[in-house]
Amino acid sequence: MDRYEEIASELRQRIERGELRPGDRVPSTREITRRWSVAMATATKVLAELRAQGLVRAVPGVGTVVAEAAVPARTPAPTRPAAGERQIPRRLTVEGGLTTDRIVAAAVEIADHEGLDALSMRRVAAELDAATMSLYRHVPDKDGLVNLMMEQVFTAVGFSATDAELPWRARLELAARQLWDVFRAHPWLASALSMTRPQPLSNALPFGEWVLSTLAAEGLDLQTVLTAYLTLFNYVRGTALNLEMEAAAEAATGQDAEAWMDQQEPQFMELVAEHPTFLRLTREGYDFDLDQLFEFGLQRLLDGFAALIDSAAQRSSSARS
């Protein structure tokens, strides 16, 4: 047995014993190299082996975690129909229970774990054990299905009467973080949404109205209000695009971002040799965290909004005096 297989076996046993439970982080490639004194290439193979066995999965911004336990469904023993009773074929029974909600839920599950590229009407039908054509009685096509999926995930965004009493900055922070959480939970959403050709999503309107009304109440003209809203929305969406890109890169390479950076380090060191600031940063290292990057950018963006609001207040005061 190769060394990477031995380490993978040890980690698999920890998972099977429940020492590492679904959602728990498994050792990163860097931790594996330190703990087992192996090369980075070996550590990368360990995680690739566990991934191939379906024991772990990558979560962008978190790392490699134990996958949810896949408990195979028990197939009931076949029973003979009673005398005079007509037996209904299994697939007909399943199709009879199809609903738009079930189709959308299955599609969201597929996209969450495998990305939009893996989504198709045939794939959803297979997940529901139904005939592909039966789905078209509930959804028009894949594009229509994706719109319904976006409608569904935006139900997670909402605001209370207590939230309405917050000052403008806290209201926008709340809205931006809720939107970020939705993108985090559904990495495909950022690429599915369009800024230039916005989809008519009724469940996304409360978010928009919240941001627009917050800014309008601070005295900004409506053109500036809409521009600021679009800037905030696109900042969150633009940052979130990295989630799906990283998930796709990891699926293609079998490496998480940390392992990939470790592998590329010699090349980066050579590239930055003549650039002193880059060289210092490369030597010191940088703990990249997408959540921290999002929060830093959000605060700087709101600082800019504060300047706009202060300027509008000064103009209003001057006009009254």
Side-chain angles (χ1 to χ4, degrees):
M1 181 182 293
D2 290 336
R3 183 63 174 140
Y4 81 89
E5 292 176 314
E6 293 175 357
I7 300 170
S9 177
E10 184 176 335
L11 290 172
R12 181 177 65 249
Q13 290 173 22
R14 291 186 60 192
I15 293 171
E16 290 172 348
R17 290 196 298 265
E19 295 174 17
L20 290 171
R21 294 181 294 181
D24 288 349
R25 285 193 62 176
V26 299
S28 66
T29 50
R30 188 169 295 173
E31 290 175 295
I32 292 171
T33 59
R34 286 198 301 264
R35 189 180 304 179
W36 282 276
S37 300
V38 294
M40 181 60 67
T42 301
T44 301
K45 285 184 177 181
V46 171
L47 294 184
E49 176 68 15
L50 293 174
R51 193 178 298 109
Q53 296 177 22
L55 297 172
V56 301
R57 65 184 181 91
V59 177
V62 176
T64 302
V65 304
V66 178
E68 290 76 9
V71 181
R74 292 185 178 180
T75 303
T79 56
R80 294 175 60 86
E85 180 181 344
R86 187 164 62 92
Q87 191 170 23
I88 302 175
R90 179 172 179 268
R91 182 169 295 281
L92 180 60
T93 303
V94 173
E95 289 183 9
L98 275 184
T99 64
T100 302
D101 287 345
R102 284 191 63 207
I103 293 169
V104 172
V108 169
E109 185 75 11
I110 292 167
D112 284 353
H113 290 92
E114 302 175 37
L116 273 184
D117 287 345
L119 183 70
S120 67
M121 300 295 275
R122 183 185 298 274
R123 177 74 175 79
V124 175
E127 191 73 16
L128 294 171
D129 195 20
T132 302
M133 293 307 296
S134 67
L135 271 60
Y136 289 97
R137 293 198 292 269
H138 303 272
V139 295
D141 50 29
K142 181 180 175 180
D143 289 342
L145 175 59
V146 172
N147 279 352
L148 291 172
M149 291 162 60
M150 290 191 286
E151 286 277 27
Q152 195 276 325
V153 300
F154 264 106
T155 60
V157 178
F159 309 98
S160 68
T162 303
D163 295 334
E165 299 173 3
L166 295 169
W168 74 265
R169 185 163 184 141
R171 283 169 60 101
L172 295 189
E173 286 177 346
L174 175 63
R177 289 172 186 150
Q178 283 202 36
L179 184 60
W180 177 247
D181 287 344
V182 172
F183 284 131
R184 263 255 179 240
H186 310 285
W188 53 270
L189 179 61
S191 62
L193 285 167
S194 174
M195 276 290 295
T196 56
R197 301 185 182 190
Q199 297 93 336
L201 304 175
S202 60
N203 288 335
L205 290 178
F207 170 86
E209 178 63 26
W210 179 268
V211 175
L212 292 169
S213 62
T214 297
L215 293 167
E218 297 302 314
L220 298 177
D221 65 89
L222 287 181
Q223 291 297 312
T224 302
V225 164
L226 182 56
T227 301
Y229 161 72
L230 293 173
T231 301
L232 177 64
F233 182 87
N234 202 44
Y235 165 69
V236 183
R237 173 182 174 271
T239 306
L241 285 170
N242 294 283
L243 298 169
E244 187 176 36
M245 292 169 63
E246 171 55 26
E250 181 156 344
T253 64
Q255 294 178 308
D256 61 17
E258 183 180 12
W260 188 87
M261 287 298 294
D262 286 339
Q263 187 180 58
Q264 303 299 318
E265 185 174 354
Q267 184 177 356
F268 277 113
M269 291 298 292
E270 183 178 344
L271 283 173
V272 303
E274 302 300 323
H275 304 277
T277 308
F278 267 124
L279 184 60
R280 284 174 53 203
L281 285 169
T282 305
R283 284 174 173 167
E284 292 178 12
Y286 179 75
D287 187 14
F288 183 86
D289 186 303
L290 204 56
D291 289 307
Q292 291 181 9
L293 185 69
F294 161 75
E295 191 64 35
F296 179 89
L298 174 62
Q299 295 306 321
R300 303 297 74 76
L301 188 60
L302 295 181
D303 289 344
F305 287 4
L308 279 175
I309 290 170
D310 288 345
S311 178
Q314 289 173 9
R315 288 195 301 272
S316 177
S317 178
S318 297
R320 288 195 302 267
S321 59

